[in-house]
Amino acid sequence: MTWVQLAVASGVVALGAMIQGSIGFGVNVVAGPVLVLIDPELVPGPALVIAFLLTVLVWVRERGATDLGGFTWVFVGRVPGTVVGALTVAALPARGTAISLSAIVLIAVALSVAGWRVRRTRTALVGAGGVSGFFGTVSSVGGPPIALLYQDEAGRDVRGTLSSIFAVGALFSIVMLVAVGRFDFGELRTSLLLLPAVVAGFVVSRWTARLLDRGFVRPAILALCASSAVAALVRYAI
């Protein structure tokens, strides 16, 4: 990356980190589309490293608010979903699947706005974990499927639970990318160049989280889920 590209990438990562620090996910929803334009190699590997570092920071801040039962069942689905995602990245174009999953997310958002909810059962958690693992490994954006299940929880509970899930999930996705030869030390060094932006966005999120906790967490989740789905559709459809 040139210095100009690094500055642009750092700006969008800082903005995404602020959003994720406020509602529990979103760094790669915001930064992913820009990072892939700057350098396609920034996604999914470095983008996942960024997400991992940020989710650890948020989880440490909100560690007293984690749904351990939900965490467990999400990973029953997330592990096989991640494996399938890594194999897809290594062997097949992800375009068709990404478009399909994005359309499903948009439908889910529309139904949620209309008042429909998916009960957070074990089956729903396992299914959301599978979709999240696949989509997170393919595109580095795995937040929406799980965030939709937790949209009615208090802000701190959403941030704590999603961060614990995504920290372990992102690490597992990185390991799988290494295993299939799609992540190396060069990409790791690039990821670390963006670390100051991650920390800056996280620090600012301490104040924006308090603002959203005044009844704005659910609208923010739905808006970001819809935005991520639209961004993926545009990215893979063009």
Side-chain angles (χ1 to χ4, degrees):
M1 285 190 295
T2 66
W3 286 108
V4 173
Q5 290 174 322
L6 178 59
V8 174
S10 295
V12 295
V13 166
L15 176 61
M18 181 195 72
I19 292 173
Q20 178 153 326
S22 302
I23 64 173
F25 78 109
V27 62
N28 284 327
V29 173
V30 175
V34 179
L35 294 179
V36 78
L37 289 175
I38 293 174
D39 184 351
E41 294 299 319
L42 289 172
V43 177
L48 282 168
V49 173
I50 291 166
F52 171 69
L53 294 172
L54 178 60
T55 50
V56 169
L57 290 173
V58 177
W59 179 79
V60 169
R61 190 182 69 193
E62 311 285 5
R63 59 189 176 278
T66 301
D67 177 13
L68 294 178
F71 175 92
T72 300
W73 287 108
V74 162
F75 272 93
V76 171
R78 176 117 190 178
V79 171
T82 300
V83 172
V84 174
L87 293 174
T88 299
V89 169
L92 299 171
R95 180 176 181 272
T97 304
I99 290 174
S100 300
L101 291 175
S102 298
I104 291 171
V105 170
L106 281 176
I107 293 170
V109 169
L111 291 173
S112 294
V113 171
W116 178 77
R117 298 286 191 281
V118 176
R119 290 182 60 237
R120 204 161 61 243
T121 62
R122 291 178 179 178
T123 300
L125 287 164
V126 171
V131 175
S132 176
F134 180 90
F135 208 17
T137 305
V138 169
S139 68
S140 77
V141 179
I146 300 172
L148 287 170
L149 289 180
Y150 284 92
Q151 61 181 288
D152 292 316
E153 298 299 316
R156 187 164 182 260
D157 294 333
V158 173
R159 291 189 295 271
T161 300
L162 295 189
S163 294
S164 64
I165 291 170
F166 296 147
V168 179
L171 181 59
F172 187 56
S173 293
I174 293 167
V175 170
M176 289 305 303
L177 288 178
V178 172
V180 298
R182 289 299 306 272
F183 187 75
D184 56 29
F185 283 108
E187 290 171 307
L188 178 60
R189 287 194 296 271
T190 301
S191 308
L192 295 179
L193 290 175
L194 297 170
L195 180 57
V198 172
V199 174
F202 170 73
V203 171
V204 174
S205 74
R206 190 177 293 272
W207 288 275
T208 53
R210 293 173 187 167
L211 175 63
L212 289 177
D213 283 351
R214 299 172 184 173
F216 300 106
V217 171
R218 180 173 177 269
I221 286 175
L222 293 177
L224 201 55
C225 285
S227 299
S228 68
V230 170
L233 284 171
V234 171
R235 174 184 168 190
Y236 285 102
I238 293 177

